[in-house]
Amino acid sequence: MMRRLFFTLFLLASTIAMAQQRNVYINGSTENASGKMVWLYKYSDQISQQILTIDSALIDSVGHFALSAYVNYPTLIVVEIERYSQSFVVEAGQTYNVHIPTFNWNLDEDRNIYLDPIALPMEFKGISPTNINIEIGRFESLVDSFITANRVHFDFIFHPRKVYFDTLKALVRQARIGLPIEAADS
């Protein structure tokens, strides 16, 4: 009986300890959001898009808040205040310092933000140039600018030319970080 009670208490304590683990921290400041709730959530998967709340906090009187999460691999998370949100990728063991500048919290009075969403403006402080979010932005910019500059050559109406697809493929291959060019095809 005593052994069973000890085992149950041990299991309960380890479960609580595991539930409290955090390895990603978001320290934030705002200009004009004191007293508002800030939520941190992620999607359970990209198909169902079911929202899982990770953490929440009340923004204090001087505009500061702190959120934390536990992730095993780079994960897309969403920071939301009222009906305005911003998403970014977090990595295990990282601390993100963010600042939300002055924002008009009444924009939803003039337009339907569910049909025409407005991103929560968020500035990252002290972020490394090798951060995954910066790398994703560079990659998207590279692909977008190439396709925009050569859009006619990708349109099937105008008989696309294979050389442009090959050039785009080479650009993407070269943009992959840490992979030699020959390994990028695998």
Side-chain angles (χ1 to χ4, degrees):
M1 173 80 168
M2 191 64 140
R3 196 181 303 182
R4 210 178 260 170
L5 177 63
F6 177 72
F7 180 72
T8 304
L9 288 175
F10 175 75
L11 205 59
L12 180 64
S14 63
T15 303
I16 290 171
M18 290 176 87
Q20 298 299 322
Q21 284 183 337
R22 303 295 181 170
N23 63 359
V24 173
Y25 300 93
I26 300 169
N27 299 315
S29 63
T30 66
E31 298 281 328
N32 64 335
S34 297
K36 297 184 183 303
M37 285 295 293
V38 58
W39 299 89
L40 180 65
Y41 62 84
K42 69 177 183 174
Y43 297 110
S44 62
D45 58 77
Q46 291 300 316
I47 296 172
S48 71
Q49 298 259 319
Q50 180 182 4
I51 294 173
L52 300 174
T53 302
I54 302 171
D55 200 5
S56 64
L58 183 65
I59 300 171
D60 67 19
S61 61
V62 291
H64 292 101
F65 63 90
L67 301 166
S68 60
Y70 180 80
V71 300
N72 290 325
Y73 45 84
T75 304
L76 181 72
I77 56 102
V78 179
V79 173
E80 181 176 273
I81 301 174
E82 290 188 349
R83 289 164 295 280
Y84 308 97
S85 62
Q86 183 62 261
S87 62
F88 59 97
V89 177
V90 295
E91 295 179 284
Q94 298 294 315
T95 298
Y96 299 89
N97 297 307
V98 298
H99 177 73
I100 300 167
T102 302
F103 183 70
N104 180 0
W105 298 102
N106 296 318
L107 290 172
D108 59 333
E109 300 294 327
D110 298 331
R111 66 196 252 193
N112 186 337
I113 60 168
Y114 295 106
L115 295 176
D116 188 15
I118 300 168
L120 183 65
M122 191 175 290
E123 302 167 353
F124 290 87
K125 303 293 182 186
I127 195 166
S128 164
T130 59
N131 179 278
I132 192 168
N133 295 291
I134 302 296
E135 297 297 336
I136 289 169
R138 285 186 191 136
F139 179 81
E140 288 177 346
S141 177
L142 172 75
V143 172
D144 287 348
S145 64
F146 184 79
I147 290 175
T148 300
N150 301 290
R151 66 183 171 274
V152 171
H153 302 289
F154 289 98
D155 192 337
F156 288 104
I157 294 174
F158 297 107
H159 305 288
R161 295 181 51 207
K162 185 178 181 318
V163 68
Y164 290 95
F165 288 94
D166 292 342
T167 304
L168 179 59
K169 185 177 177 181
L171 283 172
V172 169
R173 186 179 304 127
Q174 290 171 356
R176 290 190 182 171
I177 300 165
L179 288 177
I181 291 176
E182 37 310 328
D185 285 328
S186 53

